[in-house]
Amino acid sequence: MSELFDAVDALVASRAQLPPAEERKRLRTAHGLTLDQVAAALKVRRATVSGWESSKKPTEPRGPEREAYARLLGQLAQLYPAPGAKAEPPAATPAPAAPTGTPAPTEARTPLTGPEPGRRVPTATVGTRDRSVGPPDLPPAAPRPTRTTGPSSTSRRPVTEKPVPAAVVASGTDPRFENGPLAVVDAGADGRVLAYCPGGRVLDVPAKSLPALVDWTLKEAKLGGPRLSGPGKDADPLLVLTESALERYGLPIALTEEERLAGRIPEGHKVVRQLKRAEWKLTKRGFGPWARIYRPATGAERACVQLCIPSWQALDARHWGGADRLPPAELARVLGVYAARVMTPRGSTAVTGLELMTALHPPTRASEPGADGTRHSEHNPGSLGRDPVDCAPCEAPDGHPLLADLPRFHVRGPDEKLFEEAYDWARPLTDDECMRRHLVGIDVNMAFAAGANGLTVGLGAPTHVRAPAFDPKLPGSWLVDLSHVDLSRVKVGKDSWADLDAGLLPSPFTPKGERPEGPAWYATPTVAYAVELGYEVRPTEAYVRPENGRYLDAWYQRLRDAFLTTMADLGVGADLPPADFLAAMDGWEKRDPQLAIVVSAIKATVKGGLGKLRERPRGEGWRPGEPWRALSRPTWRPDIRAAVISRTRINLHRKIVKHAAFTGRYPVAVLSDCVVYAADGSSPLDVLPYRDGRPLPGGFKLGINPGLVKHEGTQSVLWGEGVRERFDAPDLNLARYIKDGTVTDADHGE
């Protein structure tokens, strides 16, 4: 009889209902699972799982795989209910909320790669949004409320009666964080202190001192956020202190020059002494613009509050614009949208970008229960682990301990040092280009984020090999001579060759676009591109990383979704026709200046996070040859940074080559992710080839998705020649100034 029951169970399981493909992907990514991990658990190929999640033509699992897959999705659906659905978490610990939204579609091509709650728009909404250029129907920033006394220390009052996106008001369904991830604390002239939360909620703050404020935040405020990955940790609450709040709690409104250079107030300050008496601790960076106040964790319980002090320059104006001058309710809106879509800020945008990598791939996880039912901490597959690894000598920046034996003034050449950086190349205009009227700049959206997408990077320490056979799937650094690669004849397809004017093209192998003169160290994407162009490569030496994976995929997807969702809120949807896209991009920053600040911060999170992978010494009495603090992090990985930059430069060059082969037009200047062409018209449509509304396959395409391009700016050819003549610089990089024509040191590339 049991065999009959088993047969019936198998028959039912073979018809198990599965959610749509988009929901399958959402559930997997919400728990921090990679395609490889699911494939290994179900004993199928990675491509099979990818097919089950395909948004275009999803395949369906069969047999025992379907039963197991349905079981997996069912358990994940309990942990991460769909937005708007009632959560039914297991009886164990409270379930973390799912990261909002589903990933939006990107261009179907090899992605690109560089260094340093509003409404969540699902993929379908992003793609089919009303194409009118007018501002989106977002609730306006909440006005500052009239202060009135109230009986309860935690009474919540909405600042405005208008509907507010649920993702801003709270962090999912977890009642522990019903007031959102953060609050802006402000004190009035009447002595009353209010905490402005995202979504318009305002809390009365009874605390009379900073230690009491920390206690109130952890016990009553219900601030914080759910973890972004299954093995991760919940986000600590963030308090933003205005100038009036600083005065109320005995802190200086601004730092002295000495304190600014030190990045903290003195340890003998009365507020720091108050915290110590209350048995609160500060991290090694002390009480600065981004202070962390904590007590050692007991079991799974964390007691930690993050402080952000805008008047101490916590919010860098280069990335946050004038956010530090916003009223409390509006500042709460800006930071709340960023926290909901990226993560609760943990410091500068660079620090937050790095912390996001760790939050999505925590170094450890809980093991399976042992014989006695206890669990222990173990390595989390796909992460960088808890311990730092040494880089290869060629990947080490100058001054690294691995180079301590080099002579003091020794300058390493390309055969000693891996030098993968973004483009900074320009050339004089040809006679034909001088006869054209305009210089048109196009810029790649989120280029470095797109370059991280799908990139295989090393997870462990490097292995040194001699005379290796090159493997394009193996991340590492390779010593190889690429000087024989001739751009005058290259492959532009599987079996298609093109004859080009190599003198009008930058070399893909050096940041300055110069042709290499001998052996040099390159990251894997650079060497793979030489093979793609149709040339043989023979490395003489390499440092490879057999333990590898697509570590940055989830990081890219979250930042991409944050960018696309916010741009959609600003009236720039994905998949717009070229003319509609250009119209939508015209003046997008002015439709909602607060959301424009969020876009700027998201972009800075990408560049800054990647730059932090090779953070240099920052004072503290460091001397060349000595270790510095950043080297103790598992996320100090110059090889990953180099691979992303290599991928960015190579993919940009691939588009430039395809464009030249198809149109006969060559770039005048390239800076990072901005390319300038001479044209008769002033629009990108006068540069980019579109036939029947379709772009050149593998070339530049207008759109807001990461990897697609937008209009950076247009100037006249006379302007360009005049600038070069005025500065007596025939090779001046015009891409640096193409945006508004003003000659400065600013880099307008993203």
Side-chain angles (χ1 to χ4, degrees):
M1 183 66 69
S2 62
E3 293 180 358
L4 293 177
F5 286 166
D6 292 341
V8 170
D9 291 342
L11 189 62
V12 172
S14 68
R15 297 294 187 270
Q17 293 296 315
L18 298 177
E22 292 81 1
E23 177 68 3
R24 302 172 195 176
K25 186 173 183 178
R26 184 190 74 82
L27 292 171
R28 174 179 61 78
T29 56
H31 200 60
L33 298 175
T34 65
L35 291 171
D36 292 320
Q37 289 173 319
V38 175
L42 300 179
K43 295 181 173 55
V44 296
R45 295 185 301 115
R46 181 182 185 278
T48 302
V49 181
S50 179
W52 296 344
E53 297 181 357
S54 173
S55 59
K56 295 183 178 179
K57 293 183 179 180
T59 57
E60 293 295 321
R62 297 181 179 181
E65 290 83 7
R66 186 181 185 91
E67 179 182 5
Y69 191 45
R71 181 181 180 87
L72 170 66
L73 296 176
Q75 292 181 358
L76 293 179
Q78 287 185 329
L79 291 172
Y80 310 99
K86 186 175 180 180
E88 297 181 3
T93 57
T100 52
T102 15
T106 54
E107 184 185 16
R109 59 171 177 79
T110 303
L112 304 180
T113 31
E116 169 188 95
R119 176 178 55 220
R120 186 67 183 180
V121 183
T123 302
T125 307
V126 172
T128 60
R129 187 179 181 84
D130 181 4
R131 292 173 180 167
S132 61
V133 184
D137 185 19
L138 259 187
R144 193 182 182 92
T146 303
R147 302 179 188 276
T148 57
T149 57
S152 172
S153 64
T154 58
S155 62
R156 293 181 297 278
R157 297 163 301 171
V159 175
T160 176
E161 297 291 333
K162 296 184 179 182
V164 178
V168 178
V169 177
S171 302
T173 59
D174 197 323
R176 297 174 299 161
F177 312 126
E178 67 177 46
N179 292 322
L182 56 91
V184 179
V185 180
D186 185 54
D190 57 0
R192 190 168 181 213
V193 181
L194 298 178
Y196 294 78
C197 303
R201 292 189 178 188
V202 182
L203 313 181
D204 289 302
V205 182
K208 305 296 184 183
S209 66
L210 192 63
L213 178 64
V214 174
D215 278 322
W216 171 83
T217 302
L218 294 171
K219 295 177 181 177
E220 300 183 52
K222 295 186 177 181
L223 295 172
R227 56 184 181 259
L228 298 181
S229 144
K233 299 175 182 177
D234 294 331
D236 298 318
L238 172 66
L239 295 181
V240 184
L241 304 183
T242 66
E243 293 184 6
S244 62
L246 293 175
E247 286 186 309
R248 175 67 180 80
Y249 293 115
L251 290 164
I253 292 178
L255 299 178
T256 65
E257 183 64 16
E258 182 181 357
E259 291 169 345
R260 187 187 66 80
L261 293 174
R264 65 182 74 187
I265 58 177
E267 293 188 6
H269 193 280
K270 64 178 182 179
V271 174
V272 177
R273 295 201 306 269
Q274 288 175 0
L275 291 169
K276 289 182 178 179
R277 285 196 298 269
E279 298 183 347
W280 289 105
K281 297 180 179 294
L282 293 167
T283 58
K284 290 182 180 180
R285 61 185 176 187
F287 202 122
W290 291 92
R292 294 186 66 78
I293 304 172
Y294 72 98
R295 286 186 179 131
T298 56
E301 294 297 323
R302 286 170 57 84
C304 184
V305 173
Q306 173 92 50
L307 297 186
C308 168
I309 306 178
S311 66
W312 293 7
Q313 300 179 358
L315 301 176
D316 192 326
R318 294 173 299 175
H319 314 315
W320 291 101
D324 59 337
R325 299 188 296 273
L326 292 174
E330 296 179 12
L331 179 56
R333 179 189 184 228
V334 169
L335 294 176
V337 172
Y338 179 88
R341 296 177 179 177
V342 180
M343 71 178 299
T344 305
R346 299 285 302 274
S348 66
T349 50
V351 169
T352 303
L354 200 67
E355 291 285 345
L356 181 61
M357 297 180 194
T358 303
L360 293 169
H361 287 287
T364 60
R365 67 179 183 183
S367 68
E368 293 296 326
D372 57 355
T374 60
R375 300 174 183 263
H376 63 274
S377 177
E378 65 178 14
H379 174 73
N380 184 27
S383 75
L384 299 181
R386 288 183 296 187
D387 301 318
V389 297
D390 284 335
C391 62
C394 63
E395 298 163 351
D398 294 338
H400 191 280
L402 288 175
L403 311 176
D405 294 336
L406 290 178
R408 183 176 179 184
F409 298 105
H410 176 74
V411 178
R412 293 187 292 163
D415 60 338
E416 298 175 281
K417 179 180 180 179
L418 177 69
F419 192 67
E420 295 282 11
E421 297 295 341
Y423 265 132
D424 186 355
W425 170 88
R427 62 169 177 81
L429 274 66
T430 65
D431 292 343
D432 176 68
E433 290 166 340
C434 287
M435 297 300 293
R436 300 183 184 274
R437 298 179 58 189
H438 300 282
L439 296 173
V440 180
I442 55 175
D443 184 270
V444 181
N445 293 310
M446 298 273 284
F448 299 133
N453 181 32
L455 178 64
T456 302
V457 299
L459 302 178
T463 299
H464 186 219
V465 291
R466 296 281 184 181
F470 176 67
D471 183 353
K473 297 181 180 179
L474 187 60
S477 301
W478 309 78
L479 181 61
V480 58
D481 188 351
L482 299 180
S483 60
H484 64 290
V485 178
D486 185 2
L487 294 182
S488 61
R489 183 166 176 78
V490 296
K491 273 189 175 182
V492 292
K494 187 174 182 181
D495 297 309
S496 177
W497 288 80
D499 294 321
L500 305 174
D501 188 340
L504 301 180
L505 287 171
S507 167
F509 309 126
T510 61
K512 291 293 184 180
E514 302 164 344
R515 186 168 178 170
E517 298 178 351
W521 286 98
Y522 302 101
T524 297
T526 302
V527 185
Y529 186 56
V531 176
E532 179 184 327
L533 292 176
Y535 291 86
E536 183 181 9
V537 297
R538 294 182 179 178
T540 58
E541 189 178 350
Y543 288 91
V544 297
R545 287 175 167 79
E547 182 187 355
N548 53 65
R550 293 165 64 163
Y551 175 73
L552 295 173
D553 272 12
W555 182 81
Y556 159 76
Q557 289 163 8
R558 187 159 182 89
L559 289 166
R560 175 202 63 192
D561 289 353
F563 174 70
L564 290 180
T565 301
T566 310
M567 289 302 296
D569 289 339
L570 286 162
V572 185
D575 301 325
L576 291 175
D580 291 351
F581 169 71
L582 293 174
M585 286 295 292
D586 186 19
W588 65 271
E589 305 102 322
K590 299 177 182 178
R591 294 175 198 143
D592 190 329
Q594 293 175 19
L595 287 185
I597 292 175
V598 177
V599 171
S600 174
I602 293 170
K603 293 178 180 178
T605 303
V606 173
K607 289 189 69 173
L610 293 171
K612 276 280 186 181
L613 292 169
R614 199 193 65 169
E615 183 178 357
R616 302 303 302 275
R618 307 181 68 179
E620 301 177 344
W622 174 82
R623 294 181 179 180
E626 297 178 349
W628 58 93
R629 184 183 300 180
L631 299 186
S632 63
R633 295 193 322 248
T635 49
W636 192 84
R637 293 295 300 273
D639 58 299
I640 296 180
R641 173 186 176 274
V644 174
I645 298 175
S646 165
R647 190 102 172 279
T648 300
R649 194 182 66 249
I650 291 307
N651 280 275
L652 184 60
H653 193 274
R654 181 183 292 112
K655 292 177 181 294
I656 290 172
V657 165
K658 288 184 180 294
H659 188 86
F662 190 78
T663 67
R665 292 186 178 182
Y666 295 82
V668 172
V670 184
L671 179 68
S672 187
D673 45 16
C674 177
V675 187
V676 176
Y677 285 93
D680 294 322
S682 60
S683 168
L685 293 175
D686 297 309
V687 173
L688 305 183
Y690 273 80
R691 289 186 176 178
D692 299 325
R694 296 180 178 274
L696 168 66
F700 296 109
K701 177 183 177 182
L702 287 168
I704 197 59
N705 279 293
L708 306 190
V709 299
K710 68 178 186 299
H711 185 203
E712 178 68 3
T714 295
Q715 304 296 331
S716 68
V717 169
L718 290 178
W719 164 86
E721 291 296 272
V723 167
R724 286 178 165 178
E725 182 177 351
R726 186 164 76 249
F727 290 95
D728 191 22
D731 293 328
L732 185 70
N733 196 329
L734 299 176
R736 191 182 303 275
Y737 319 113
I738 195 72
K739 188 168 189 175
D740 57 15
T742 304
V743 180
T744 66
D745 292 332
D747 180 353
H748 290 303
E750 293 185 14

